[in-house]
Amino acid sequence: NAGVMQNPRHLVRRRGQEARLRCSPMKGHSHVYWYRQLPEEGLKFMVYLQKENIIDESGMPKERFSAEFPKEGPSILRIQQVVRGDSAAYFCASSPTTGRTDTQYFGPGTRLTVL
Amino acid sequence: GDSVTQMEGPVTLSEEAFLTINCTYTATGYPSLFWYVQYPGEGLQLLLKATKADDKGSNKGFEATYRKETTSFHLEKGSVQVSDSAVYFCALTGSSNTGKLIFGQGTTLQVKP
């Protein structure tokens, strides 16, 4: 059973460009979480999605960031008009169910560098 | 709000030494507690978890006990190896029902031969 897949693994963008990060959850998992890890910091929750629904976006910046998890295909985290402060590692995690006891399985991350 | 505090690193040990990484938390309700490990350039892997007070999680020689009275979940290992060198994150599921994880800042462990 393949793990959580993320692509690209590394992404370089210039200021003002758009970044699209993809996440394919583990087979059978319908719950997807996105986290951001800034340099030398822990991971911060961004958004939680189920198929076709955003359940909790309390950690998403109010502007330029959006996420989706369509009925078919991977989950997408989209960052418009990137700025240097967006440089970070973005991790996706998936779980088969949701709840306080459930384990989340993490992908390898996408490392975004904004020049 | 809910939060996790870990001891600051880096922690440097010799091979076969005893390891403790402290983790304390603040939370409403009854969170579950997790330790994740991150090797260089990789994503996080679950190391162990505990879902209620007095539970002990264990895996690969690592252990942690959910102590509600001291709001702690310290990670221990009796004899570390060079291959244990990594960043260790303590985390909890917050008071929401969505299962989102709240992480500590991470502790870097370096084990020398």
Side-chain angles (χ1 to χ4, degrees), chain A residues 32-88:
Chain A
V32 167
Y33 301 79
W34 286 93
Y35 296 86
R36 177 166 65 175
Q37 184 179 30
L38 294 170
E40 307 300 323
E41 293 188 15
L43 281 74
K44 304 290 188 197
F45 167 79
M46 299 181 74
V47 62
Y48 161 49
L49 310 102
Q50 295 178 21
K51 286 281 189 183
E52 300 184 278
N53 286 298
I54 297 174
I55 307 301
D56 181 352
E57 55 182 348
S58 58
M60 287 278 270
K62 298 298 181 200
E63 299 178 346
R64 303 186 296 107
F65 285 73
S66 62
E68 64 177 8
F69 189 16
K71 186 176 181 181
E72 301 291 338
S75 175
I76 306 287
L77 179 67
R78 181 184 179 202
I79 311 172
Q80 295 179 288
Q81 299 176 324
V82 296
V83 300
R84 289 220 173 102
D86 297 332
S87 295

Side-chain angles (χ1 to χ4, degrees), chain A residues 9 33 35 37 40-45 48 55-56 58 91 98-109 111, chain B residues 30-32 34 36 38 41-44 46 49 51-52 89 93-94 96-101 103-106:
Chain A
R9 293 289 304 273
Y33 301 79
Y35 296 86
Q37 184 179 30
E40 307 300 323
E41 293 188 15
L43 281 74
K44 304 290 188 197
F45 167 79
Y48 161 49
I55 307 301
D56 181 352
S58 58
F91 291 96
T98 188
R100 68 173 192 85
T101 65
D102 295 316
T103 297
Q104 293 179 25
Y105 297 85
F106 282 79
R111 283 155 179 80
Chain B
Y30 302 95
S32 291
F34 303 81
Y36 279 87
Q38 183 180 33
E42 298 184 10
L44 278 70
L46 178 68
K49 72 177 186 181
T51 59
K52 61 182 187 297
F89 291 97
T93 46
S96 74
N97 292 324
T98 62
K100 69 182 182 185
L101 289 167
F103 286 89
Q105 71 270 35

Side-chain angles (χ1 to χ4, degrees), chain B residues 13-89:
Chain B
L13 295 173
S14 298
E15 206 164 21
E16 299 184 1
F18 184 85
L19 168 71
T20 300
I21 300 178
N22 290 337
C23 171
T24 57
Y25 68 90
T26 301
T28 55
Y30 302 95
S32 291
L33 301 173
F34 303 81
W35 277 100
Y36 279 87
V37 59
Q38 183 180 33
Y39 297 101
E42 298 184 10
L44 278 70
Q45 301 174 24
L46 178 68
L47 185 57
L48 53 85
K49 72 177 186 181
T51 59
K52 61 182 187 297
D54 300 324
D55 268 2
K56 177 187 282 188
S58 61
N59 184 28
K60 299 180 182 179
F62 291 90
E63 293 183 341
T65 301
Y66 188 162
R67 302 283 189 201
K68 191 171 176 63
E69 64 276 12
T70 54
T71 61
S72 64
F73 193 54
H74 304 321
L75 182 68
E76 296 181 336
K77 186 176 185 183
S79 177
V80 294
Q81 305 300 312
V82 173
S83 57
D84 293 326
S85 298
V87 182
Y88 292 81
F89 291 97

